[in-house]
Amino acid sequence: MLSAFSDTKKCGEIFWLDSIDSTNTYALKLLSEGTQAPFVVVAREQNAGKGRLSRKWYAEPDATLCMSVAVPMSDDPNLLRSFTVRVATEICSVLEKELLTRLFIKWPNDIYSEQGKKIAGMLTELKIEKNKKTIILGIGINCFKPKGDIDSSIAETMGVLEDVVKRDFLMCEIAKIVASAIVNTSKEISIENVASNFSKYDWLKGKEIQVDTGGAVVSGFASGIVDSGELLVNLETGETRPIAALEASILKK
Ligand code: BTN
């Protein structure tokens, strides 16, 4: 795994771990100890992988790539708010080209196959120390079919990259492509065209959805995003509003 990154100076130091609780937690610890971003943490096995909204993230060793990339973050709130969707867009763009497949983003942090199965999930955490902001972008990518038993609720929604691509690949190759995409995104200095770049991959577009805004549940039809990353929802009143929510669920009728 290490050698795959040796030509990728821009990604910084690579910490390759056999087993860890969570690569995001480990990256936060490295930052606290003074390690300078950018750097990458990859683990063969996570025993307490973290998902969004305090969920657990289950991953089988050698089947799912578990990686966290720490990158310096600008003070611009729009660049910060839009970071996860910008990263997701860049990852879809490079993986589509490299692996000849079609991918989608289920706003804000999931990568889906054309069949609507979850190929990858992202967990973005922010560390602020002495006014310096660093983002830890954790990503779990289901590269290969797990060999062991998995919970039926996970199996139902889970997709694997090997099932939807047109050529063989190695997990370390995906790690390199994705780490580079994250570091490249962190160097962007404007949110211009975020919404239009995202629209090619928008899984929710036109679908009837429900979003939990923390205080209220809002229903309507998804109609893209705005450049700063919020979801645009066409409400029952006919008004289209950007919504800053944590998650959107598709309403099945
Ligand atoms: C989600 O879908 O809820 C996000 C899942 C994020 C999982 C990745 S695996 C690498 C990194 N380390 C973690 O503990 N979580 C992220």
mmCIF file of all heavy atoms in Angstrom, residues 21-25 46 48-53 55 57 65-68 109-110 118 120-123 138-140, ligand 1:
data_model
loop_
_atom_site.group_PDB
_atom_site.id
_atom_site.type_symbol
_atom_site.label_atom_id
_atom_site.label_comp_id
_atom_site.label_asym_id
_atom_site.label_seq_id
_atom_site.Cartn_x
_atom_site.Cartn_y
_atom_site.Cartn_z
ATOM 1 N N ASP A 21 -8.713 1.713 15.681
ATOM 2 C CA ASP A 21 -10.146 1.926 15.955
ATOM 3 C C ASP A 21 -10.812 2.611 14.763
ATOM 4 O O ASP A 21 -11.758 2.105 14.160
ATOM 5 C CB ASP A 21 -10.350 2.716 17.267
ATOM 6 C CG ASP A 21 -9.481 3.968 17.363
ATOM 7 O OD1 ASP A 21 -8.694 4.243 16.435
ATOM 8 O OD2 ASP A 21 -9.599 4.686 18.375
ATOM 9 N N SER A 22 -10.287 3.799 14.392
ATOM 10 C CA SER A 22 -10.860 4.550 13.276
ATOM 11 C C SER A 22 -9.755 5.417 12.680
ATOM 12 O O SER A 22 -9.003 6.066 13.428
ATOM 13 C CB SER A 22 -11.997 5.437 13.821
ATOM 14 O OG SER A 22 -12.108 6.628 13.089
ATOM 15 N N THR A 23 -9.647 5.442 11.377
ATOM 16 C CA THR A 23 -8.602 6.264 10.744
ATOM 17 C C THR A 23 -8.857 7.756 10.997
ATOM 18 O O THR A 23 -7.910 8.539 11.104
ATOM 19 C CB THR A 23 -8.509 5.986 9.224
ATOM 20 O OG1 THR A 23 -9.803 6.158 8.652
ATOM 21 C CG2 THR A 23 -7.994 4.593 8.933
ATOM 22 N N ASN A 24 -10.128 8.150 11.098
ATOM 23 C CA ASN A 24 -10.414 9.563 11.398
ATOM 24 C C ASN A 24 -9.916 9.926 12.802
ATOM 25 O O ASN A 24 -9.298 10.974 13.010
ATOM 26 C CB ASN A 24 -11.927 9.833 11.335
ATOM 27 C CG ASN A 24 -12.362 10.364 9.981
ATOM 28 O OD1 ASN A 24 -11.845 9.932 8.966
ATOM 29 N ND2 ASN A 24 -13.306 11.284 9.969
ATOM 30 N N THR A 25 -10.186 9.040 13.773
ATOM 31 C CA THR A 25 -9.755 9.293 15.151
ATOM 32 C C THR A 25 -8.226 9.344 15.217
ATOM 33 O O THR A 25 -7.642 10.195 15.891
ATOM 34 C CB THR A 25 -10.309 8.190 16.088
ATOM 35 O OG1 THR A 25 -11.719 8.131 15.895
ATOM 36 C CG2 THR A 25 -10.007 8.453 17.542
ATOM 37 N N GLN A 46 -10.516 -1.607 10.664
ATOM 38 C CA GLN A 46 -10.973 -0.651 11.684
ATOM 39 C C GLN A 46 -11.897 -1.410 12.634
ATOM 40 O O GLN A 46 -12.809 -2.101 12.182
ATOM 41 C CB GLN A 46 -11.794 0.463 11.044
ATOM 42 C CG GLN A 46 -11.019 1.496 10.282
ATOM 43 C CD GLN A 46 -11.890 2.680 9.872
ATOM 44 O OE1 GLN A 46 -11.496 3.809 10.012
ATOM 45 N NE2 GLN A 46 -13.080 2.419 9.379
ATOM 46 N N ALA A 48 -13.554 0.235 15.228
ATOM 47 C CA ALA A 48 -14.604 1.154 15.688
ATOM 48 C C ALA A 48 -14.776 2.257 14.644
ATOM 49 O O ALA A 48 -14.701 3.442 14.953
ATOM 50 C CB ALA A 48 -14.244 1.731 17.059
ATOM 51 N N GLY A 49 -15.022 1.829 13.407
ATOM 52 C CA GLY A 49 -15.196 2.787 12.311
ATOM 53 C C GLY A 49 -16.403 3.681 12.577
ATOM 54 O O GLY A 49 -17.437 3.220 13.050
ATOM 55 N N LYS A 50 -16.235 4.962 12.277
ATOM 56 C CA LYS A 50 -17.307 5.929 12.550
ATOM 57 C C LYS A 50 -18.032 6.288 11.260
ATOM 58 O O LYS A 50 -17.404 6.598 10.253
ATOM 59 C CB LYS A 50 -16.721 7.226 13.137
ATOM 60 C CG LYS A 50 -15.970 7.039 14.439
ATOM 61 C CD LYS A 50 -15.595 8.385 15.047
ATOM 62 C CE LYS A 50 -14.481 9.095 14.322
ATOM 63 N NZ LYS A 50 -14.002 10.322 14.980
ATOM 64 N N GLY A 51 -19.366 6.271 11.318
ATOM 65 C CA GLY A 51 -20.166 6.772 10.205
ATOM 66 C C GLY A 51 -20.709 8.139 10.580
ATOM 67 O O GLY A 51 -20.437 8.656 11.669
ATOM 68 N N ARG A 52 -21.478 8.737 9.678
ATOM 69 C CA ARG A 52 -22.082 10.037 9.996
ATOM 70 C C ARG A 52 -23.198 9.859 11.003
ATOM 71 O O ARG A 52 -23.739 8.776 11.179
ATOM 72 C CB ARG A 52 -22.636 10.677 8.720
ATOM 73 C CG ARG A 52 -21.530 11.220 7.842
ATOM 74 C CD ARG A 52 -22.106 11.831 6.606
ATOM 75 N NE ARG A 52 -22.614 13.164 6.820
ATOM 76 C CZ ARG A 52 -23.882 13.535 6.674
ATOM 77 N NH1 ARG A 52 -24.790 12.674 6.339
ATOM 78 N NH2 ARG A 52 -24.234 14.782 6.861
ATOM 79 N N LEU A 53 -23.554 10.954 11.637
ATOM 80 C CA LEU A 53 -24.667 11.018 12.592
ATOM 81 C C LEU A 53 -24.519 9.951 13.682
ATOM 82 O O LEU A 53 -25.466 9.255 14.025
ATOM 83 C CB LEU A 53 -26.009 10.870 11.850
ATOM 84 C CG LEU A 53 -26.206 11.797 10.641
ATOM 85 C CD1 LEU A 53 -27.470 11.453 9.879
ATOM 86 C CD2 LEU A 53 -26.231 13.251 11.079
ATOM 87 N N ARG A 55 -23.351 7.077 13.639
ATOM 88 C CA ARG A 55 -23.553 5.673 13.275
ATOM 89 C C ARG A 55 -22.220 4.941 13.279
ATOM 90 O O ARG A 55 -21.158 5.547 13.247
ATOM 91 C CB ARG A 55 -24.157 5.577 11.865
ATOM 92 C CG ARG A 55 -25.559 6.123 11.799
ATOM 93 C CD ARG A 55 -26.067 6.045 10.366
ATOM 94 N NE ARG A 55 -27.292 6.796 10.243
ATOM 95 C CZ ARG A 55 -27.574 7.644 9.250
ATOM 96 N NH1 ARG A 55 -26.709 7.846 8.290
ATOM 97 N NH2 ARG A 55 -28.728 8.268 9.201
ATOM 98 N N TRP A 57 -19.565 2.347 11.364
ATOM 99 C CA TRP A 57 -19.225 1.996 9.985
ATOM 100 C C TRP A 57 -18.553 0.642 10.014
ATOM 101 O O TRP A 57 -17.477 0.478 10.595
ATOM 102 C CB TRP A 57 -18.313 3.053 9.373
ATOM 103 C CG TRP A 57 -17.758 2.679 8.034
ATOM 104 C CD1 TRP A 57 -16.514 2.161 7.783
ATOM 105 C CD2 TRP A 57 -18.411 2.792 6.763
ATOM 106 N NE1 TRP A 57 -16.362 1.950 6.433
ATOM 107 C CE2 TRP A 57 -17.507 2.326 5.784
ATOM 108 C CE3 TRP A 57 -19.676 3.236 6.351
ATOM 109 C CZ2 TRP A 57 -17.824 2.294 4.424
ATOM 110 C CZ3 TRP A 57 -19.979 3.210 4.987
ATOM 111 C CH2 TRP A 57 -19.061 2.749 4.061
ATOM 112 N N LEU A 65 -11.886 -0.148 1.433
ATOM 113 C CA LEU A 65 -10.771 0.772 1.686
ATOM 114 C C LEU A 65 -11.196 1.763 2.767
ATOM 115 O O LEU A 65 -12.222 2.436 2.622
ATOM 116 C CB LEU A 65 -10.440 1.521 0.393
ATOM 117 C CG LEU A 65 -9.482 2.718 0.527
ATOM 118 C CD1 LEU A 65 -8.083 2.261 0.940
ATOM 119 C CD2 LEU A 65 -9.423 3.485 -0.799
ATOM 120 N N CYS A 66 -10.428 1.813 3.859
ATOM 121 C CA CYS A 66 -10.727 2.760 4.948
ATOM 122 C C CYS A 66 -9.579 3.767 5.002
ATOM 123 O O CYS A 66 -8.442 3.397 5.321
ATOM 124 C CB CYS A 66 -10.833 2.041 6.283
ATOM 125 S SG CYS A 66 -12.235 0.930 6.334
ATOM 126 N N MET A 67 -9.885 5.013 4.705
ATOM 127 C CA MET A 67 -8.818 6.004 4.573
ATOM 128 C C MET A 67 -9.282 7.370 5.073
ATOM 129 O O MET A 67 -10.456 7.729 4.909
ATOM 130 C CB MET A 67 -8.466 6.109 3.078
ATOM 131 C CG MET A 67 -7.401 7.113 2.756
ATOM 132 S SD MET A 67 -6.819 6.920 1.057
ATOM 133 C CE MET A 67 -8.131 7.726 0.177
ATOM 134 N N SER A 68 -8.371 8.090 5.687
ATOM 135 C CA SER A 68 -8.649 9.479 6.080
ATOM 136 C C SER A 68 -7.537 10.358 5.536
ATOM 137 O O SER A 68 -6.360 9.995 5.625
ATOM 138 C CB SER A 68 -8.688 9.614 7.609
ATOM 139 O OG SER A 68 -9.714 8.805 8.132
ATOM 140 N N ASN A 109 -23.065 13.035 1.159
ATOM 141 C CA ASN A 109 -21.781 12.362 1.409
ATOM 142 C C ASN A 109 -21.678 10.921 0.925
ATOM 143 O O ASN A 109 -20.744 10.234 1.306
ATOM 144 C CB ASN A 109 -21.505 12.371 2.912
ATOM 145 C CG ASN A 109 -22.426 11.404 3.628
ATOM 146 O OD1 ASN A 109 -23.643 11.450 3.417
ATOM 147 N ND2 ASN A 109 -21.871 10.514 4.410
ATOM 148 N N ASP A 110 -22.639 10.463 0.140
ATOM 149 C CA ASP A 110 -22.567 9.064 -0.309
ATOM 150 C C ASP A 110 -22.303 8.996 -1.806
ATOM 151 O O ASP A 110 -22.828 9.807 -2.568
ATOM 152 C CB ASP A 110 -23.891 8.339 -0.036
ATOM 153 C CG ASP A 110 -24.118 8.084 1.442
ATOM 154 O OD1 ASP A 110 -23.137 8.156 2.215
ATOM 155 O OD2 ASP A 110 -25.271 7.816 1.819
ATOM 156 N N LYS A 118 -24.960 1.834 -2.406
ATOM 157 C CA LYS A 118 -23.934 2.698 -1.808
ATOM 158 C C LYS A 118 -22.542 2.080 -1.961
ATOM 159 O O LYS A 118 -22.233 1.053 -1.378
ATOM 160 C CB LYS A 118 -24.259 2.935 -0.326
ATOM 161 C CG LYS A 118 -23.246 3.792 0.402
ATOM 162 C CD LYS A 118 -23.793 4.287 1.732
ATOM 163 C CE LYS A 118 -22.722 4.921 2.602
ATOM 164 N NZ LYS A 118 -23.253 5.602 3.773
ATOM 165 N N ALA A 120 -19.661 4.119 -1.512
ATOM 166 C CA ALA A 120 -18.751 4.786 -0.573
ATOM 167 C C ALA A 120 -19.512 5.785 0.293
ATOM 168 O O ALA A 120 -20.538 6.330 -0.119
ATOM 169 C CB ALA A 120 -17.644 5.514 -1.336
ATOM 170 N N GLY A 121 -18.980 5.986 1.503
ATOM 171 C CA GLY A 121 -19.532 6.998 2.404
ATOM 172 C C GLY A 121 -18.388 7.854 2.930
ATOM 173 O O GLY A 121 -17.254 7.379 3.069
ATOM 174 N N MET A 122 -18.696 9.115 3.188
ATOM 175 C CA MET A 122 -17.657 10.029 3.675
ATOM 176 C C MET A 122 -18.054 10.627 5.019
ATOM 177 O O MET A 122 -19.236 10.900 5.262
ATOM 178 C CB MET A 122 -17.453 11.169 2.671
ATOM 179 C CG MET A 122 -16.766 10.707 1.415
ATOM 180 S SD MET A 122 -16.523 12.072 0.290
ATOM 181 C CE MET A 122 -18.146 12.236 -0.341
ATOM 182 N N LEU A 123 -17.069 10.820 5.846
ATOM 183 C CA LEU A 123 -17.269 11.477 7.139
ATOM 184 C C LEU A 123 -16.253 12.608 7.248
ATOM 185 O O LEU A 123 -15.049 12.369 7.320
ATOM 186 C CB LEU A 123 -17.056 10.472 8.287
ATOM 187 C CG LEU A 123 -17.046 11.051 9.693
ATOM 188 C CD1 LEU A 123 -18.442 11.551 10.074
ATOM 189 C CD2 LEU A 123 -16.583 10.013 10.707
ATOM 190 N N GLY A 138 -12.734 11.444 5.950
ATOM 191 C CA GLY A 138 -12.661 9.985 6.044
ATOM 192 C C GLY A 138 -13.558 9.378 4.991
ATOM 193 O O GLY A 138 -14.682 9.834 4.778
ATOM 194 N N ILE A 139 -13.052 8.369 4.325
ATOM 195 C CA ILE A 139 -13.869 7.726 3.293
ATOM 196 C C ILE A 139 -13.726 6.211 3.365
ATOM 197 O O ILE A 139 -12.631 5.689 3.590
ATOM 198 C CB ILE A 139 -13.511 8.270 1.871
ATOM 199 C CG1 ILE A 139 -14.448 7.661 0.812
ATOM 200 C CG2 ILE A 139 -12.051 8.050 1.507
ATOM 201 C CD1 ILE A 139 -14.494 8.430 -0.492
ATOM 202 N N GLY A 140 -14.855 5.537 3.267
ATOM 203 C CA GLY A 140 -14.865 4.077 3.196
ATOM 204 C C GLY A 140 -15.379 3.708 1.819
ATOM 205 O O GLY A 140 -16.480 4.116 1.443
HETATM 206 C C1 BTN B 1 -21.112 7.214 6.370
HETATM 207 O O1 BTN B 1 -21.503 6.672 5.331
HETATM 208 O O2 BTN B 1 -21.870 7.426 7.333
HETATM 209 C C2 BTN B 1 -19.689 7.663 6.448
HETATM 210 C C3 BTN B 1 -18.767 6.489 6.560
HETATM 211 C C4 BTN B 1 -17.312 6.904 6.677
HETATM 212 C C5 BTN B 1 -16.418 5.719 6.924
HETATM 213 C C6 BTN B 1 -14.961 6.071 6.835
HETATM 214 S S1 BTN B 1 -13.914 4.663 6.821
HETATM 215 C C7 BTN B 1 -12.520 5.668 7.030
HETATM 216 C C8 BTN B 1 -12.896 6.759 7.991
HETATM 217 N N1 BTN B 1 -12.702 6.343 9.373
HETATM 218 C C9 BTN B 1 -13.849 6.261 10.040
HETATM 219 O O3 BTN B 1 -13.956 5.911 11.231
HETATM 220 N N2 BTN B 1 -14.870 6.597 9.249
HETATM 221 C C10 BTN B 1 -14.408 6.976 7.929
#
